[in-house]
Amino acid sequence: MAQLQQLIRDEAGSAGEHWLVDAEGRSLMRDEATRILPDAAGRYGMQWLEGRDQALLWDTLPSTGWRLVSRLRLPDDSAWQKALPWLSIGLIMGNVLIFAGFVMVLYWRMQREEEGWQAALAGLGGWLTRLGETPPSHEDTSYTTLETMLARLEPHLRERASSDDWDMVSWSGRLQLPALLTEGGMLVGLNPTLAGLMGERPDAFRGTTLSAWLAPRLVDDQHRRIRLTDARGDTREYRLECLTVQGEHTVWGLFDQADIDDTLHQLRVARDQAREDARLKSGYLDHLRQELESVLTDMAARDDQDSPGTAALRKRLDDALMLLETLTERPKGPEAAAQESRPRVLVVDDGPVNTLLACSVLERLGCQVETATSGEEALALAEHRSFDLVFMDIYMPSLDGMETSRRWRRLERRLARGHASVLVALTANVTEAGREAFLQAGMDDCLAKPYRPGDLVAMVRRWLGTANPSDE
């Protein structure tokens, strides 16, 4: 109101009084000084007051229907009184135009605020839809609609706040490699490294689905290889890898394919060199063993073999020969080869009945079976040996199957093993959303609990192609 009064004074001057009234003639600015227009007052006009030394002038604002009313005291001058109506009408018309512009700007800003309010309510409604609830209409922009949405979202927000152990947005922002953050399959944003690489804002693709973002850039769907064009116009290939999952949030890292290929090439060269060195050393050791056997044979044929010096020397040569026998590579026997060819399977389950059933069926299939009752125990076993197939229970007391699988995959990458284990989730909740969550955690398949022996056999055959005829 103070700004409105100042605007009137600036435009109409300080002489006289000015105020606004609504279409019914009620004052909008001064409740203590009610102004009554003539009964026959039209949209604009003038009326002399108090012996023609004062004049009442009014005009109507076209956008609101309000009337701007001015009361001016006139000097005792007939020429001035004759000219006053026209001057006043001109002044009022100018003020009307100014106020019309002011009201239009105000109306435009209010429209923008309402559109922003509707967009915010639509966003909250989208959250409710993803949570499986029917949102109220966001066309109703009242505070009641907002309170209703917040009341329905509050339990889910509390649950998420209690389950989130760390801020994934901040963590992904500190990563030095290009990465992007998704929530429920929708892009939340790019981390600073990826945003700088692409020359985009971190929130440039907010609200876009991950599949839509990947579609124009995807090169190899099976290996998740994509092609990115940076801000300078250079194009490079990257491999998309799931770094971590927390609730509905997932952080995806982009690894430069050229660096990966170069690293793999160096590893292969080092592996081949190590194999050649091992082969040469094994040959040298075998040759030395043969020479020692020849020396021992010659000593056995000598006459003085029973002398103390000869016996001591023979004992030392026997010890050296035993050491060489241990170091020299020998072809593995049939039993050892058969033992190593059997697939290694790990069952991670804190339920003794399920574990016993799985071990019985898998051993009949000819598998080498080991068990673990917790995620920590499973990871400790993975540190020392590799497994072909792992059945992973999802709901375990300390470390659940999802987090255990994520750590398992990180461990495999750190140890650089030749092949990755097949991880199969054991869960009673087999849904499409659950399958997607298992895949993002690094698992390959899932098996519904409770399962039958035939289900285990089918899963082993599916991934390992191994079956003992006795299991028929």
Side-chain angles (χ1 to χ4, degrees):
M1 188 60 67
Q3 293 177 350
L4 188 58
Q5 292 173 347
Q6 182 62 41
L7 181 59
I8 293 174
R9 285 196 298 269
D10 291 344
E11 296 300 329
S14 58
E17 296 178 273
H18 311 274
W19 62 93
L20 289 171
V21 298
D22 60 14
E24 287 74 23
R26 294 188 298 267
S27 175
L28 297 177
M29 298 176 61
R30 295 183 180 179
D31 294 334
E32 74 280 7
T34 304
R35 308 300 180 183
I36 302 177
L37 292 173
D39 295 335
R43 295 182 58 84
Y44 59 91
M46 171 186 170
Q47 183 180 20
W48 294 105
L49 300 175
E50 301 177 8
R52 302 179 68 87
D53 61 343
Q54 294 186 19
L56 188 69
L57 299 97
W58 63 91
D59 202 350
T60 303
L61 301 178
S63 56
T64 63
W66 299 346
R67 276 177 281 194
L68 176 64
V69 182
S70 301
R71 187 173 71 175
L72 303 175
R73 183 175 298 276
L74 306 177
D76 188 11
D77 187 353
S78 59
W80 170 254
Q81 292 179 359
K82 293 178 181 179
L84 178 62
W86 302 104
L87 294 176
S88 301
I89 291 174
L91 176 63
I92 292 176
M93 291 297 293
N95 290 335
V96 166
L97 294 176
I98 293 174
F99 276 105
F102 170 76
V103 173
M104 290 300 295
V105 171
L106 181 62
Y107 175 77
W108 175 73
R109 292 190 61 181
M110 292 178 64
Q111 284 291 107
R112 289 191 59 188
E113 292 294 331
E114 184 174 0
E115 291 174 359
W117 183 258
Q118 288 182 348
L121 291 179
L124 292 177
W127 276 101
L128 287 173
T129 302
R130 287 196 290 272
L131 293 172
E133 299 189 18
T134 303
S137 175
H138 62 271
E139 298 297 331
D140 180 10
T141 57
S142 64
Y143 284 102
T144 304
T145 305
L146 176 61
E147 292 175 354
T148 301
M149 288 188 176
L150 292 180
R152 294 168 63 180
L153 282 171
E154 186 175 4
H156 302 285
L157 295 176
R158 288 179 178 175
E159 180 181 355
R160 172 166 297 183
S162 62
S163 63
D164 288 348
D165 297 330
W166 49 290
D167 187 358
M168 292 186 66
V169 178
S170 301
W171 179 79
S172 62
R174 293 193 297 269
L175 289 176
Q176 297 300 314
L177 77 159
L180 48 89
L181 178 66
T182 62
E183 183 174 8
M186 305 292 289
L187 275 177
V188 175
L190 316 176
N191 77 331
T193 305
L194 181 55
L197 177 67
M198 299 181 64
E200 299 280 0
R201 301 189 316 275
D203 59 348
F205 301 97
R206 182 185 296 274
T208 306
T209 62
L210 179 61
S211 57
W213 188 84
L214 289 175
R217 302 172 176 86
L218 198 59
V219 177
D220 186 349
D221 187 16
Q222 182 178 2
H223 298 92
R224 292 186 180 275
R225 291 174 59 180
I226 64 174
R227 182 178 292 113
L228 279 184
T229 301
D230 59 23
R232 297 178 298 179
D234 298 332
T235 302
R236 297 178 70 91
E237 287 192 5
Y238 295 85
R239 189 175 68 193
L240 187 70
E241 292 286 349
C242 175
L243 300 181
T244 185
V245 178
Q246 184 76 18
E248 291 190 4
H249 285 89
T250 305
V251 177
W252 302 88
L254 276 67
F255 296 87
D256 194 324
Q257 190 63 38
D259 294 341
I260 295 175
D261 294 341
D262 184 62
T263 302
L264 289 176
H265 175 71
Q266 294 179 7
L267 290 175
R268 291 192 185 100
V269 171
R271 179 200 61 188
D272 295 341
Q273 184 65 38
R275 286 178 177 176
E276 181 65 19
D277 292 344
R279 187 186 65 80
L280 292 175
K281 290 178 181 178
S282 178
Y284 295 153
L285 291 175
D286 188 63
H287 180 71
L288 181 58
R289 179 182 57 79
Q290 293 176 5
E291 291 295 329
L292 283 176
E293 288 177 348
S294 176
V295 171
L296 287 173
T297 301
D298 293 342
M299 290 183 65
R302 294 178 57 181
D303 296 335
D304 57 348
Q305 58 180 331
D306 295 331
S307 63
T310 303
L313 179 59
R314 183 178 180 83
K315 184 176 184 309
R316 292 177 62 186
L317 289 175
D318 284 337
D319 292 340
L321 183 60
M322 184 178 299
L323 177 61
L324 287 175
E325 289 283 354
T326 303
L327 295 177
T328 304
E329 291 184 353
R330 294 286 187 177
K332 293 182 173 64
E335 294 182 0
Q339 180 71 14
E340 290 188 359
S341 65
R342 295 169 57 192
R344 301 180 66 91
V345 180
L346 176 64
V347 180
V348 186
D349 198 330
D350 60 340
V353 176
N354 292 332
T355 303
L356 181 62
L357 171 64
C359 289
S360 175
V361 174
L362 294 172
E363 287 174 352
R364 288 182 59 190
L365 283 173
C367 301
Q368 303 179 66
V369 185
E370 295 191 42
T371 62
T373 59
S374 66
E376 293 86 348
E377 186 179 350
L379 293 173
L381 291 173
E383 287 277 358
H384 304 289
R385 62 183 66 90
S386 62
F387 295 90
D388 301 294
L389 180 62
V390 179
F391 289 98
M392 183 77 66
D393 189 18
I394 294 299
Y395 298 102
M396 292 185 289
S398 55
L399 194 64
D400 64 10
M402 301 284 284
E403 182 60 27
T404 303
S405 299
R406 288 190 283 267
R407 297 186 184 184
W408 187 287
R409 293 306 188 198
R410 289 198 294 267
L411 179 63
E412 286 182 334
R413 290 193 289 268
R414 178 169 61 84
L415 296 177
R417 286 177 173 160
H419 70 282
S421 304
V422 177
L423 301 183
V424 178
L426 300 177
T427 177
N429 183 23
V430 180
T431 61
E432 289 300 322
R435 289 179 182 273
E436 183 64 23
F438 299 153
L439 293 177
Q440 291 184 358
M443 296 184 172
D444 303 285
D445 208 337
C446 60
L447 181 62
K449 295 174 65 175
Y451 48 80
R452 299 175 302 161
D455 298 331
L456 282 174
V457 174
M459 190 62 67
V460 172
R461 287 175 174 174
R462 176 180 180 181
W463 289 104
L464 302 182
T466 302
N468 193 326
S470 64
D471 73 292
E472 301 293 341

